[in-house]
Amino acid sequence: MYSAAPGLPVSAHSVLDVVPQPAGQSAAAALRETVEVAQTADDLGFRRFWVAEHHGVRGVGSATPAVLAAVLGARTDRIRLGSGGVLLGNHKPLLIAEQFAALAAAYPSRIDLGVSEGSVSAPCTAAALGWSGDAREAFPQRLDELCRFLRDGLPGRTPVGDVRLTLAGLPPPVFVLANRPATAQLAAVRGLPVFLTASEATVAAAAAYLDTFEPTGPTGKPYLGVSVGVVAADTDQEALNRLAEYVRVKHRLASASPRATPAELLELLEPPITGRERGRAERLLGDPGHIVGSRSTVASGLAKLAAGTGAAEIMLAPLAYDGLVRSSILRTVAAALTRAIRTVPRSAPHFVATA
């Protein structure tokens, strides 16, 4: 069990988004909503806004973190942007290094590169991406190659072989996303910062990281963050209702036939929530990967998570398909962490998409 302690400020919290795209919504509308959520996070003072990499998942549009970071960078002012994270098993390290070096040149001191050993689950999607190996087995080598390109492929440095990065400047920091102690240790021995996925193994993974950290990385100091799914509302019951709606849509989209048409998906989503779906949501209330409730409930849960893991930062994944609800969740969390919310006007224009 986590022990209660004063929580971290808003500035030590970040946001993870997957560009949700429910049935019937256009790609332009889904992207517009994610831009608006990022602007909300920027206004509220959250530290980072990362987008995950998912392929072939119905209802999820975040297949291209580098492209999305470029779009978000043009529509936000201060918040750091990045990937949470790039699946290295899907890409050549040089390609990722070049993409994020270009982003870092476009948005100095605002770009992060989070990488993961995960891979796509559908064999057909993996084949289409040109990947047929074991992502976990290949991850250490690809991580080392990526870091060498970012470190040594710069002008004035010895190139990696005969390869130099294009548009290279100050390289973005590399974060390892880990959901098990072994991956946390892999980051530790390379001196890299890590984000752990909140689970039953989080405390063990955090200890493994801190105990084996080698000061060989860019900063020489360990940096530990934890990511967690969150649903916040004015009351615990309202938060549970929001979670139940998220579970309803997610499970129905996942259970639909791969060949289902948009009209068939809309028909599938039309009936109200079932008792079984609400039961699934209620069971998540005790899951360490979810924090659900009112302001006070969420503030307590985040404080316990930080205290129990020693995390310097918590990354929140707001669990909702509707962008307005995701923004509302972030505002509620910010209100839970500080008595007064002050926003700073943005100079970046609003994102306009009419499709």
Side-chain angles (χ1 to χ4, degrees):
M1 293 292 294
Y2 302 125
S3 57
L8 300 171
V10 176
S11 59
H13 291 76
S14 298
V15 181
L16 178 65
D17 199 85
V18 297
V19 193
Q21 185 185 2
Q25 186 181 55
S26 70
L31 183 55
R32 181 177 63 247
E33 288 192 359
T34 288
V35 169
E36 292 168 350
V37 176
Q39 290 174 334
T40 297
D42 195 15
D43 291 346
L44 292 171
F46 285 89
R47 182 174 297 180
R48 313 177 205 275
F49 191 93
W50 285 3
V51 286
E53 179 184 350
H54 291 284
H55 299 273
V57 180
R58 184 179 281 126
V60 173
S62 58
T64 56
V67 175
L68 293 169
V71 172
L72 295 170
R75 305 296 169 178
T76 54
D77 287 329
R78 300 166 298 276
I79 197 166
R80 297 187 66 92
L81 305 163
S83 55
V86 167
L87 305 177
L88 278 186
N90 295 338
H91 311 281
K92 296 296 186 182
L94 174 61
L95 178 64
I96 299 305
E98 288 180 332
Q99 289 175 351
F100 280 81
L103 282 169
Y107 305 107
S109 302
R110 291 187 61 200
I111 298 298
D112 302 319
L113 173 50
V115 297
S116 170
E117 67 178 1
S119 61
V120 296
S121 56
C124 58
T125 305
L129 289 166
W131 176 248
S132 60
D134 186 319
R136 282 187 174 181
E137 183 178 337
F139 182 70
Q141 179 182 349
R142 293 199 173 200
L143 176 61
D144 291 341
E145 188 176 349
L146 173 68
C147 291
R148 284 198 301 271
F149 280 127
L150 289 172
R151 182 188 65 237
D152 298 332
L154 305 179
R157 300 290 295 272
T158 303
V160 181
D162 292 325
V163 178
R164 292 189 185 277
L165 293 186
T166 57
L167 289 179
L170 184 65
V174 176
F175 294 77
V176 174
L177 278 63
N179 58 9
R180 60 194 186 107
T183 312
Q185 286 181 311
L186 184 148
V189 298
R190 288 160 175 78
L192 296 174
V194 70
F195 268 93
L196 307 175
T197 302
S199 69
E200 296 290 351
T202 303
V203 173
Y209 175 76
L210 297 173
D211 291 345
T212 59
F213 184 85
E214 296 287 344
T216 57
T219 66
K221 297 180 181 179
Y223 190 86
L224 170 64
V226 178
S227 64
V228 64
V230 63
V231 181
D234 289 338
T235 67
D236 288 342
Q237 185 59 53
E238 183 182 352
L240 176 58
N241 291 341
R242 283 180 170 180
L243 177 63
E245 173 61 16
Y246 172 78
V247 169
R248 181 184 80 88
V249 175
K250 180 178 180 179
H251 280 272
R252 293 189 189 185
L253 289 177
S255 63
S257 166
R259 298 183 181 276
T261 65
E264 289 170 338
L265 291 176
L266 286 174
E267 184 178 354
L268 181 67
L269 292 175
E270 186 175 343
I273 188 169
T274 65
R276 185 175 182 181
E277 289 166 337
R278 178 166 289 276
R280 284 179 178 146
E282 291 173 348
R283 286 192 293 274
L284 290 177
L285 296 178
D287 186 296
H290 298 77
I291 296 177
V292 180
S294 64
R295 291 183 184 183
S296 59
T297 300
V298 168
S300 175
L302 292 174
K304 290 178 181 178
L305 179 61
T309 60
E313 182 177 344
I314 297 178
M315 183 163 286
L316 312 173
L319 302 180
Y321 283 90
D322 188 305
L324 291 176
V325 176
R326 300 204 303 280
S327 290
S328 175
I329 289 172
L330 296 183
R331 292 191 185 96
T332 302
V333 171
L337 299 173
T338 181
R339 291 184 178 179
I341 299 178
R342 297 180 180 179
T343 61
V344 180
R346 284 178 282 103
S347 61
H350 287 281
F351 183 79
V352 178
T354 58

